[in-house]
Structure formats: C-alpha cells, structure tokens
Amino acid sequence: MEAHGGGGGSGSLRRLLVLAFCVAGIWSAYIYQGLLQETLSTKRFGSDGKRFEQLAFLNLAQNVVCLIWSYMMIKIWSTRSGSSSSMGAPWWTYWSPGITNTIGPALGIEALKYISYPAQVLAKSSKMIPVMLMGSLVYGIRYTLPEYLCTFLVAGGVSTFALMKTSSKTINKLAHPNAPLGYGLCFLNLAFDGFTNATQDSLKARYPKTSAWDIMLGMNLWGTIYNLIYMFGWPHGIGYEAIEFCKQHPEAAWDIFLYCLCGAVGQNFIFLTISRFGSLANTTITTTRKFVSIVVSSVLSGNPLSAKQWGCVVMVFSGLSYQIYLKWRKLRKLQKKRKPL
C-alpha cells in the first residue's frame, strides 16, 4: 500500500481522488467491454441478419491491441526512467502460460453462445472454487471455516442460478442455447486461468524486476502467435471468416476495435490501482464491477432476471465480499505485527 505523505488533509484528498479515478476507469472500461462482448455474441448484423459466430477472433484482436499498447508503455517508461533495457523475464519464458492464456479466455467467450452474459459473469466469479479444490486435494492445504463458508455461498449461488429456468427473452437471443455446455466452458476457463496465474507468479518470483507491462507484452506476444497459427494456419481458418464478416459488416469491426481498446485501457487502470493501493483494493473494485455488469446487462441489454435469480446473484457476491473482508483482516494483522514496538 502507498505510504501517506506529510501533506495531511490535502494528501488524503488527493489519494481519495486517485482511487475514485481508478474505480471510474475500471468500471467504465470493463462494463462497456462487457456490453460490447454481449452485443457481438447476440446481435444480428446487417440486412441479412447474420450473427458473428467467430467469437474466438476477439482474443486475437485483443492480443494484438494489448501487445502494441504494452510495447508503447514499456518504451515510454524506459525513456522517462533513462533505462533502455528491461531486466524482467525473457520473452520466451511466457510460451507456457501463453498457451493457457490463449485457450482459457477463448472458452469463456465461446460460452456466450450457450448461456447469457449475466450467467457467464456469475460462473467466472467462482474462481476460488477450483483454487481451493486444487489446494486441498493436490497440495494438502487446510482452509479455515470462514473460507469454506465463502466457497459454499459462491458455489451454492452459481449452481442454483444454473438450475433455474432462464427467461424465453434471454434464450431467444442466444446462438445455441445449451446451459451445461456453457457453464462447462466457463469452469474450464477458470481452470486454465488458475494455471496461467500460478505460472505468472512463478516468473515474477524468478525475475523480480519483471513489470506488469513486461508480463502484458510477453503474454500477448505468445497469444498473438498461437491465435494466428490457429486462425490462419489453414485455408478455411476462422480468422479468414471473421475478416470477411467484418468487411461485410463494418459495424461489427468497429465494435471489435472498441472491445479491444476497452481491454487495454482497463489494464492501465488495474496496474495503476495495484501500484497505488495494492491488490486487495483492485480485487474489491473488480468484484463490485462484476455485480454492476450484471445489473447493467439486465437493464440495458434485455436479460431479465427473476427474484430468485437475483437472490443467487446476491448470494455469490456476499461470498466474494466476505472473502475480501477476510483478506483485509489478515492484511491488518500482518501490518500490526510489522509495526515496531
């Protein structure tokens, strides 16, 4: 966490304004990106009423934009600091997490063909479930009762939501309604994300001088390589189909560009939040953003939720909020122990 300066009230006010700026940036970038993602997965474009079926193409487009963005940021900051070379992890070390970071998000986006956007957001909010399962079954980690309570609330809320009947209005917007397949893709997405995060932490530990921009550059470099091979490696790859669709429907191409831009801008605000206020503040902001995304989708995109489904949403985010509180309490205890007597 950032240390408080000697500016008293003015320093606190400035810190509060920076935090508000970060919240506004993360919320606006990712909520709008969610709306664009939902639009691209459900809208019928042009007079022929065609859907954009090549949703995995969004990952390639996002990789390319974030690759260029992170390269620019590295060059800008290295020029300001006067250092020309980075002592971070070499670019080739990202090949392994690059694979899972390519497959995982593609599965998450593909799920939107089968389940609604609120259902996808809710399912992807249950990241703690596979983490705790792997921790207890593979590594023998023992968790506390409050931690199990958090997991129970999240798992119970997601599974109950999944078993409830979806409104006909929402089902009619989906390309291929299939709840079991959609939720299955989301949980596979979480499993791949878990491996990606663990490998990134390992690289950060081995190469302490690795910056967030270095990680962003390395991950998106390999993501671009893998996606280019997958989408353009043979004559009838989905990349050619996506480009042809965008030529016929420029509106879709513009939505894809804005989607990618939102992702790059959102990453900026996440890095700023972590550097100024720590990862716990970032987790709190992104968790509340997911809840607001569900509300916005329900109101603006015509995905009505029943009272029982809203109960499940509240149940999931109660579990997530309690988990944040437990992390905050643990952090406070560590800070008290470090204080000199």
Side-chain angles (χ1 to χ4, degrees), residues 66 70 73-74 86 94 200 204 208-220 267-268 270-272 274-275:
C66 287
S70 56
M73 291 297 107
I74 289 171
S86 171
Y94 294 96
Q200 285 179 348
K204 184 79 175 172
K209 292 186 179 179
T210 303
S211 69
W213 296 119
D214 292 327
I215 294 174
M216 191 174 177
L217 180 72
M219 297 295 288
N220 285 289
Q267 283 292 323
N268 257 8
I270 284 176
F271 295 157
L272 176 62
I274 292 172
S275 65

Side-chain angles (χ1 to χ4, degrees), residues 25-282:
I26 291 172
W27 277 29
S28 56
Y30 286 111
I31 289 172
Y32 187 49
Q33 187 186 47
L35 287 172
L36 289 166
Q37 187 181 59
E38 190 172 5
T39 298
L40 286 162
S41 64
T42 60
K43 185 177 177 179
R44 293 184 180 275
F45 291 92
S47 56
D48 51 358
K50 282 188 177 180
R51 292 181 185 269
F52 182 67
E53 293 279 356
Q54 299 79 25
L55 293 177
F57 183 77
L58 292 176
N59 284 329
L60 173 59
Q62 182 81 89
N63 286 148
V64 172
V65 171
C66 287
L67 177 64
I68 296 169
W69 187 280
S70 56
Y71 179 78
M72 287 168 55
M73 291 297 107
I74 289 171
K75 287 297 179 184
I76 290 169
W77 288 110
S78 64
T79 302
R80 284 188 178 184
S81 63
S83 60
S84 57
S85 61
S86 171
M87 298 298 289
W91 66 272
W92 52 266
T93 57
Y94 294 96
W95 73 269
S96 174
I99 293 174
T100 51
N101 194 52
T102 299
I103 299 172
L107 295 175
I109 290 177
E110 197 70 16
L112 289 171
K113 291 181 181 179
Y114 310 104
I115 56 175
S116 67
Y117 179 72
Q120 185 227 36
V121 172
L122 210 59
K124 290 176 71 176
S125 298
S126 57
K127 187 178 287 189
M128 68 171 76
I129 298 172
V131 169
M132 287 184 71
L133 279 174
M134 290 291 288
S136 58
L137 296 176
V138 179
Y139 300 107
I141 299 172
R142 292 186 177 183
Y143 296 95
T144 63
L145 184 62
E147 286 174 324
Y148 279 116
L149 177 61
C150 291
T151 307
F152 171 77
L153 286 169
V154 174
V158 172
S159 56
T160 306
F161 187 97
L163 292 171
M164 285 183 179
K165 186 179 179 182
T166 307
S167 71
S168 56
K169 187 177 180 181
T170 300
I171 290 174
N172 290 336
K173 291 174 66 178
L174 300 176
H176 312 286
N178 188 329
L181 179 56
Y183 283 106
L185 290 171
C186 284
F187 290 125
L188 280 173
N189 178 191
L190 291 179
F192 280 112
D193 280 354
F195 179 84
T196 301
N197 294 337
T199 311
Q200 285 179 348
D201 290 342
S202 174
L203 286 172
K204 184 79 175 172
R206 275 191 289 160
Y207 303 95
K209 292 186 179 179
T210 303
S211 69
W213 296 119
D214 292 327
I215 294 174
M216 191 174 177
L217 180 72
M219 297 295 288
N220 285 289
L221 172 64
W222 284 102
T224 301
I225 293 169
Y226 294 140
N227 275 312
L228 281 172
I229 294 170
Y230 167 62
M231 295 183 193
F232 295 95
W234 47 83
H236 300 290
I238 66 168
Y240 297 109
E241 295 174 7
I243 288 175
E244 187 60 33
F245 186 93
C246 290
K247 285 180 180 178
Q248 295 173 7
H249 307 92
E251 185 184 352
W254 178 245
D255 284 345
I256 291 171
F257 172 73
L258 290 177
Y259 170 87
C260 298
L261 195 62
C262 284
V265 171
Q267 283 292 323
N268 257 8
F269 282 105
I270 284 176
F271 295 157
L272 176 62
T273 304
I274 292 172
S275 65
R276 292 294 186 94
F277 304 100
S279 59
L280 186 59
N282 179 65

